[in-house]
Amino acid sequence: MRYSREHKQETHDRIVKKASVRLREKGAHGIGVADLMKEAGLTHGGFYAHFDSREALVIEAFAYAMDRSMDHWRKLTGEAVPGKRLALIAESYLSALHRDNPGHGCSIPALGAEIARESPKTRKAFAGKLDEMIEMMTDYIPNVPRKAARKQAIATLATMAGTMLLARIAGSSELSDEVLKTGRDSALGARGEPKVAAARKTKQS
């Protein structure tokens, strides 16, 4: 049976979405192509009708996850005043909800160490998305020269991602909660922005 181009694209997108969640949960090498295809309701043999290689799927899945994180941030900050947008992102990011749901969260703490060991092609693709994320955060720092704002954005993202990584290592414990709180204080205090009362409890994808 021959399927329409639209059907093939829908199937392709479904595989990428499933893969993006599983990769963040299990790691870049924690789940095989056969398992990913099975979860998408397809056979292993159909994989190469959609992707040239496993690397191609991994790159698309990483990009999808990064895009979903940025979409989440746009929705979270859509009605906020400019000076509080980055604070909202930090509060939402450095939360127990995000810590306990890696499959629906940011790719950096979930996959960053593994990506650093991947092929130059994969690292380049991820670096491009990382730069997009930094630029987006830079836009959320008002009344600061662009170069200085970008430095602040990089420092804030590094603090957020590093804090989340440590919090997940500590698990759901008092130490983990302490790490999250300290990271929030550091991320917000470094910019002197006011701390918002509560984060919106929504998943990142």
Side-chain angles (χ1 to χ4, degrees):
M1 178 183 291
R2 297 189 66 179
Y3 293 102
S4 67
R5 182 175 298 177
E6 291 78 11
H7 180 274
K8 184 175 181 180
Q9 186 61 50
E10 288 175 1
T11 302
H12 182 100
D13 293 344
R14 187 168 76 250
I15 297 169
V16 170
K17 185 175 181 179
K18 290 281 187 180
S20 79
V21 174
R22 292 296 171 256
L23 288 170
R24 282 175 281 173
E25 288 179 342
K26 305 293 185 181
H29 301 284
I31 187 167
V33 168
D35 293 325
L36 289 173
M37 294 298 283
K38 185 178 180 180
E39 287 201 23
L42 300 164
T43 64
H44 187 186
F47 175 80
Y48 291 101
H50 294 276
F51 305 96
D52 293 333
S53 64
R54 187 180 190 281
E55 181 184 47
L57 170 59
V58 169
I59 288 173
E60 282 201 51
F62 285 164
Y64 176 88
M66 294 289 275
D67 287 342
R68 296 292 72 75
S69 288
M70 288 185 279
D71 286 345
H72 168 72
W73 292 356
R74 291 185 187 97
K75 292 176 183 176
L76 186 68
T77 61
E79 297 179 3
V81 296
K84 290 187 177 181
R85 287 175 181 168
L86 212 55
L88 280 168
I89 290 172
E91 286 279 0
S92 176
Y93 193 105
L94 297 172
S95 65
L97 178 70
H98 186 195
R99 178 195 64 199
D100 298 339
N101 290 276
H104 295 275
C106 180
S107 293
I108 300 173
L111 296 164
E114 291 184 80
I115 292 166
R117 301 186 186 98
E118 292 291 329
S119 69
K121 182 179 179 180
T122 300
R123 295 200 307 272
K124 182 178 180 180
F126 194 85
K129 286 297 178 181
L130 175 62
D131 191 57
E132 285 184 34
M133 186 172 278
I134 291 169
E135 283 294 292
M136 180 180 178
M137 294 179 71
T138 301
D139 291 339
Y140 288 170
I141 301 175
N143 306 318
V144 177
R146 186 74 185 183
K147 188 174 182 179
R150 182 175 168 88
K151 286 183 178 180
Q152 288 184 21
I154 292 171
T156 301
L157 182 57
T159 298
M160 287 163 48
T163 296
M164 184 52 60
L165 177 60
L166 293 179
R168 285 178 178 162
I169 290 172
S172 299
S173 64
E174 289 185 7
L175 173 58
S176 183
D177 292 339
E178 181 184 13
V179 168
L180 286 176
K181 183 181 184 304
T182 302
R184 284 194 300 270
D185 292 345
S186 179
L188 294 169
R191 299 185 314 279
E193 288 185 4
K195 191 171 182 178
V196 295
R200 296 182 191 176
K201 294 185 177 180
T202 55
K203 291 185 178 180
Q204 296 204 12
S205 74

